[in-house]
Amino acid sequence: MKTSLVIMAAGIGSRFGGGIKQLEPVDTNGHIIMDYSIHDAVEAGFNKIIFIIRKDIEADFREVIGNRIETVCRKCGVEVHYAFQDIRDIPGELPEGRTKPWGTGQAVLAAKDLIREPFIVINADDYYGKEGFRRIHEALTSENGEHCMAGFVLKNTLSDNGGVTRGICHMKDHYLTRIKETKNIRKTPEGAEADGTAIDIDSPVSMNMWGFQPEYLQQLEQGFRDFFRKEVPENPLKSEFLIPIHVGDLLEADGITVKVLPTDDTWYGMTYKEDVPEVRKSFAKLIQGGIYTEELFDDLV
């Protein structure tokens, strides 16, 4: 069965501390976090990759990432495609002065003509672990074929170096009922807090790891039209069309069901430059523990 891995990488070029965080090596062989996500997705059974990038970074992306991944994927029988996110690809006029991208919802819509099968959506610069890929692939290809998301445990997704934004999930009988986007969540001696309010560190959270059946794209397209009609006029320069918010709107209207698939894997990301040394140590431990081979893709080809 064909299943796609959709990687939102149009934000490559976002800098922190003088470097491009998505291209920061995390092991001694120069692999980046995206390499590990691709490895885990292919291992789980995903056999088509769609990179969502910007047209202006295509040449550099292919040189640094794309050509290398295409070589590996050919050996694994995995297709590789490119979609291009464009700030002008909108159901209306581009507001004067708008330079901010439209968000993750519009990013996925950039790939809509390439997707005809169940798909998983991830961020380019987050490490999710193997379990989420396995569980989402199983759910997408099961007889029921449900929409789903990986539900991480908040304490496994925090940074030691500053606040993070997480979508705290509310559920009933393993199905998502609401997502509360919560900013500036920080570790504390007692657990975690956001702007002085204590938060349960065992709360399930969304890390933008979604599994959708292809019909979701029609809802996403309609949602973007509604967003452009209702929200852009109120905040033309900064409003964003985000997948968690769109899913939340659909949940309120009983327009979607999303199964939450718990994972105990630890998220790694480089929100801050200071995160880099610890992330590298974590990947070294994964390699030493046999979770990955030193030559990352050797066990797949």
Side-chain angles (χ1 to χ4, degrees):
M1 182 176 181
K2 187 70 72 178
T3 50
S4 283
L5 165 67
V6 178
I7 303 177
M8 296 183 291
I12 283 186
S14 171
R15 292 182 174 274
F16 72 165
I20 297 176
K21 65 180 181 177
Q22 298 93 333
L23 304 182
E24 191 78 29
V26 295
D27 64 22
T28 56
N29 284 329
H31 294 114
I32 62 177
I33 282 178
M34 199 189 316
D35 289 314
Y36 283 87
S37 293
I38 291 168
H39 173 281
D40 294 345
V42 172
E43 185 179 60
F46 291 92
N47 48 20
K48 177 178 171 182
I49 297 172
I50 302 171
F51 292 114
I52 301 174
I53 61 175
R54 301 190 317 275
K55 193 68 178 175
D56 64 290
I57 66 168
E58 180 181 10
D60 289 340
F61 186 92
R62 286 180 182 270
E63 180 181 345
V64 176
I65 300 167
N67 294 338
R68 176 169 52 82
I69 294 300
E70 286 182 46
T71 299
V72 171
C73 286
R74 272 195 297 271
K75 297 175 183 176
C76 300
V78 174
E79 300 176 24
V80 177
H81 300 269
Y82 294 85
F84 301 99
Q85 186 175 10
D86 189 329
I87 195 172
R88 296 161 297 185
D89 188 9
I90 50 179
E93 296 293 322
L94 181 68
E96 185 176 352
R98 175 85 188 205
T99 58
K100 186 180 181 68
W102 293 107
T104 54
Q106 194 233 4
V108 172
L109 285 174
K112 68 181 186 297
D113 292 337
L114 293 170
I115 302 172
R116 295 288 181 271
E117 58 281 315
F119 63 101
I120 185 173
V121 179
I122 65 168
N123 295 329
D125 52 357
D126 288 325
Y127 171 78
Y128 297 96
K130 293 174 179 281
E131 188 178 18
F133 288 102
R134 284 198 301 264
R135 298 208 64 188
I136 288 180
H137 190 270
E138 288 169 3
L140 290 175
T141 57
S142 69
E143 190 175 346
N144 294 334
E146 298 178 288
H147 303 309
C148 53
M149 58 156 278
F152 288 78
V153 182
L154 176 60
K155 64 186 176 187
N156 294 337
T157 73
L158 298 176
S159 170
D160 291 324
N161 298 300
V164 296
T165 298
R166 298 289 180 255
I168 297 179
C169 300
H170 299 260
M171 299 179 293
K172 182 178 180 182
D173 299 328
H174 306 292
Y175 284 87
L176 190 64
T177 58
R178 186 165 66 94
I179 300 180
K180 183 181 180 183
E181 197 80 355
T182 305
K183 298 181 179 180
N184 199 32
I185 304 176
R186 295 175 176 267
K187 285 185 177 182
T188 66
E190 296 77 28
E193 68 172 25
D195 297 327
T197 301
I199 297 178
D200 182 357
I201 58 172
D202 292 313
S203 300
V205 296
S206 164
M207 296 299 299
N208 246 0
M209 191 182 202
W210 300 92
F212 293 116
Q213 297 298 326
E215 56 265 26
Y216 173 69
L217 293 170
Q218 297 173 355
Q219 293 177 299
L220 191 64
E221 201 162 20
Q222 181 59 53
F224 193 39
R225 287 194 291 266
D226 293 341
F227 161 83
F228 225 82
R229 188 178 69 254
K230 297 174 184 176
E231 303 205 22
V232 171
E234 295 181 6
N235 191 1
L237 300 186
K238 293 186 178 180
S239 56
E240 289 185 278
F241 182 56
L242 303 175
I243 292 173
I245 293 176
H246 179 246
V247 168
D249 290 342
L250 290 174
L251 289 170
E252 280 190 25
D254 292 325
I256 197 172
T257 58
V258 178
K259 191 166 190 178
V260 179
L261 307 174
T263 172
D264 291 321
D265 278 342
T266 298
W267 165 91
Y268 302 131
M270 294 186 288
T271 307
Y272 302 97
K273 188 70 175 178
E274 293 77 13
D275 293 332
V276 175
E278 284 304 314
V279 170
R280 286 180 176 158
K281 286 180 188 176
S282 298
F283 277 101
K285 289 178 183 177
L286 291 172
I287 293 168
Q288 290 163 7
I291 305 301
Y292 298 101
T293 56
E294 196 161 330
E295 290 295 337
L296 180 58
F297 295 99
D298 278 3
D299 58 333
L300 298 181
V301 299

